Amino acid sequence: ALAASRRGAARLAKAALKSGRTCAMSGTLLEQARNLHEDLEILEKAMYRELGDPATAHLKRVDEVARDQVVATLLDAHTQRAKRLAAVYEDGDGARREEIQAMSGSTVFSAFYDQLKLLRDYHRKHNIAPPSEVYERELLVDVLEGANEQTFTGEEAEGRYLDMHALHEAYINLKGVDKETDYASYLKAAAQLANVPKPTALTSGYVRYVKSLRDYWEGFLTRTQPLLPLADILTKATAAF
């Protein structure tokens, strides 16, 4: 559920529980598939709750960013599990087909009870409780706990502003640029790379500066717009260039 502060909700969720079952991977592929389907459904419901709640329509920018970071983390976990489930259904080594075949024919009942015993032994060994709201909560917290925390500097003010002071310092130390360029002027001209004198653009220091500039901008977009398909946009832009 949405809290008054989305940032607070995300941080509390991450700190609430450090361990949790992410997917009960038993010895049978059919059980693995069932568990993965269950996880996917839980993650889909969680993303819908975050994005489908009418209360999110008028969030403050800082809370919207925190909400999107949570959704992006859930989406990444969903993608990883979907790939694992696809691999089970693709059945590259034929193990799933053999498992299904073993559950048919004249030995169907003995195969069924053998599988039932394996499942009971596995659940008993790993102390796995039946699916419940507790597991759903533990899965979501475990996913959020395992995510890389997307933090901002004080200057960035939770994603509202850029913090390019280090880049400004690197820029004015380049050969051939105006050493008197103040920070405000630098921000206006930072994207105008074509205006940089050619002798400066050919130096190794400038190449390192441009790489740092790109890394910062990509990182800032990833933190402030985590649901943006940035990789696809950059791939298309690179191809067009």
Side-chain angles (χ1 to χ4, degrees):
L2 287 167
S5 168
R6 183 62 53 177
R7 283 177 301 160
R11 289 168 183 167
L12 284 173
K14 290 182 181 181
L17 194 66
K18 190 170 183 178
S19 63
R21 193 190 75 175
T22 57
C23 181
M25 300 300 285
S26 76
T28 73
L29 291 172
L30 295 179
E31 179 70 2
Q32 290 182 29
R34 188 199 68 77
N35 287 321
L36 287 168
H37 275 295
E38 180 188 352
D39 283 6
L40 291 175
E41 182 178 355
I42 290 173
L43 293 167
E44 288 166 5
K45 287 168 58 179
M47 288 186 283
Y48 177 78
R49 284 196 298 267
E50 293 295 318
L51 294 174
D53 192 327
T56 65
H58 303 290
L59 286 176
K60 294 180 179 179
R61 176 56 183 164
V62 60
D63 294 329
E64 183 181 3
V65 169
R67 187 268 324 264
D68 288 352
Q69 288 181 351
V70 169
V71 174
T73 299
L74 296 173
L75 180 59
D76 182 63
H78 184 281
T79 300
Q80 293 175 17
R81 283 164 173 77
K83 289 179 179 178
R84 285 156 54 189
L85 182 59
V88 171
Y89 282 117
E90 287 171 2
D91 197 22
D93 58 1
R96 180 174 179 272
R97 182 177 64 255
E98 292 177 0
E99 189 174 306
I100 293 175
Q101 289 175 347
M103 299 175 66
S104 61
S106 59
T107 60
V108 61
F109 288 108
S110 61
F112 169 78
Y113 285 112
D114 287 343
Q115 294 290 346
L116 180 60
K117 182 178 184 302
L118 285 173
L119 288 176
R120 285 177 171 172
D121 290 344
Y122 181 88
H123 283 245
R124 188 181 304 110
K125 177 181 178 181
H126 295 278
N127 194 29
I128 297 173
S132 63
E133 291 184 3
V134 174
Y135 169 57
E136 179 175 340
R137 183 172 63 253
E138 290 181 354
L139 170 64
L140 296 177
V141 173
D142 186 68
V143 167
L144 294 174
E145 178 74 15
N148 294 326
E149 182 133 16
Q150 302 293 335
T151 58
F152 296 97
T153 68
E155 291 286 341
E156 288 172 332
E158 300 295 342
R160 285 180 290 178
Y161 307 106
L162 294 169
D163 179 7
M164 295 175 59
H165 287 85
L167 289 164
H168 171 239
E169 186 69 22
Y171 175 80
I172 61 175
N173 282 300
L174 294 172
K175 295 180 180 179
V177 302
D178 183 1
K179 307 296 184 183
E180 302 301 321
T181 303
D182 60 33
Y183 184 63
S185 300
Y186 167 73
L187 289 178
K188 294 177 182 179
Q192 299 172 9
L193 301 182
N195 294 338
V196 174
K198 188 174 181 179
T200 300
L202 295 176
T203 63
S204 59
Y206 182 74
V207 172
R208 290 193 297 271
Y209 160 75
V210 171
K211 183 181 183 303
S212 297
L213 183 65
R214 171 175 172 152
D215 289 346
Y216 175 74
W217 281 343
E218 287 185 15
F220 187 79
L221 284 173
T222 298
R223 287 177 291 143
T224 57
Q225 301 183 56
L227 298 178
L228 183 73
L230 185 58
D232 293 339
I233 292 174
L234 292 175
T235 299
K236 292 178 181 178
T238 301
F241 181 76

